[in-house]
Amino acid sequence: MTGQGALLAELKRELRAERAAVRDKLPADQREALSVLVCGYAAEWLAWEGAETLLAYVPFRSELDTRPLIDGAWAAGRKVLLPRVIQSTGKMSLHPVNSWKELAVGAYGIQEPISAPACEPGGQYRPDAVFVPGLAFDRRGGRLGYGRGYYDRLRAVWEAELPASAGAPLWIGLAFGQQVVPEVPMDYHDAYMDMLITEDGIMDFRKEKQHGTKSF
C-alpha cells in the first residue's frame, strides 16, 4: 500500500469509528422514530417513481431500521430482494423474499434469506432501486461502508453484466442526519450514491446542480 493509500485507509478507519459511536449513542426510541420517517420518504419516492422491485438490507445493530420500508413494499405488491453474504467469495447473492419468516441469522449475525433461490442480475428481479446502509455519507453522494466491499463488488458485477438497455438501478443511501459529514474519503474504486435519504428529506446527486434537499 502506498503512503497515500495508507493515509486514506487511516482516514476511513477513524471516520468509521467516529460515526459508529455517534450512531450507537442514538436512543432506541429516537432511532425508531427517525427510521419510520426516512422509510416514509423512501416509500413515497418508490410510489412516485413507479418502482416495482427493490433491493434492501435487513438492519443490524444501530443501523437505520428498514423494516417499515420493506413491510410497505410488500403491502404495495412490490418485489423485495434481500442479500445473503457469501464470505468465501466476498460477494452477495440476492433473493426474492415475501415474509420475515424466510430469514434466519447468517453471516456477521445479520438476518438473511434461507429458502428462496438466488436470482440472476437481470430479468424480472432486476431492482429499480438499491437501498444501501453505511456509516457515513456526504452531500456529493460519497459513502463510507464497513470496509468489506460487498456493495461495491455487487455494483461492479451489474455494470459489467447488465446490457445498457436494461437500465441501471439507482443506488440510494439510507441514514440518520447525524451520519452526514462534510466529506467522505473516497478511493478510485469507491462508488458514489445516486441519492441519499435522511429524516431531512431526499438528496438527489444525479444532476450536478441539484445538491439541495427535497422533501415530500
Side-chain angles (χ1 to χ4, degrees):
M1 182 180 292
T2 65
Q4 184 175 359
L7 176 60
L8 185 63
E10 179 62 17
L11 289 173
K12 287 185 174 185
R13 186 194 67 78
E14 292 177 355
L15 186 57
R16 283 191 183 99
E18 173 195 309
R19 289 299 103 185
V22 168
R23 196 179 67 184
D24 289 345
K25 288 180 181 177
L26 278 174
D29 58 344
Q30 185 177 358
R31 282 204 305 269
E32 180 181 359
L34 293 177
S35 294
V36 169
L37 187 57
V38 173
C39 288
Y41 287 137
E44 290 179 17
W45 179 84
L46 287 171
W48 177 266
E49 292 291 324
E52 297 181 357
T53 303
L54 62 140
L55 169 62
Y57 65 91
V58 179
F60 183 60
R61 293 180 178 168
S62 62
E63 286 180 338
L64 188 140
D65 190 348
T66 55
R67 288 176 293 183
L69 174 62
I70 294 170
D71 282 332
W74 283 332
R78 296 187 175 88
K79 298 183 180 73
V80 176
L81 306 179
L82 296 176
R84 181 191 300 164
V85 167
I86 307 171
Q87 290 177 287
S88 61
T89 63
K91 296 181 180 181
M92 293 192 301
S93 58
L94 308 183
H95 306 259
V97 175
N98 300 297
S99 165
W100 296 114
K101 295 179 181 179
E102 299 175 28
L103 306 180
V105 176
Y108 307 111
I110 302 171
Q111 292 280 324
E112 296 182 335
I114 57 174
S115 57
C119 57
E120 295 299 321
Q124 63 174 323
Y125 289 118
R126 183 191 66 79
D128 300 300
V130 180
F131 292 100
V132 185
L135 286 167
F137 297 86
D138 65 28
R139 295 177 182 274
R140 304 171 303 153
R143 168 186 175 265
L144 183 67
Y146 298 93
R148 301 188 182 102
Y150 287 105
Y151 284 97
D152 287 332
R153 282 188 287 273
L154 176 64
R155 189 168 185 169
V157 168
W158 274 341
E159 290 177 350
E161 295 184 2
L162 285 177
S165 59
L170 289 178
W171 289 73
I172 305 171
L174 297 179
F176 303 115
Q178 292 185 12
Q179 294 175 253
V180 180
V181 299
E183 184 176 355
V184 171
M186 299 286 284
D187 207 342
Y188 71 93
H189 57 72
D190 294 328
Y192 284 80
M193 298 291 99
D194 295 305
M195 297 167 60
L196 173 65
I197 305 178
T198 73
E199 67 269 20
D200 297 316
I202 298 176
M203 286 174 269
D204 192 329
F205 310 116
R206 289 174 292 172
K207 296 180 180 178
E208 291 183 358
K209 294 183 179 180
Q210 191 172 351
H211 292 291
T213 299
K214 177 175 63 176
S215 297
F216 287 97

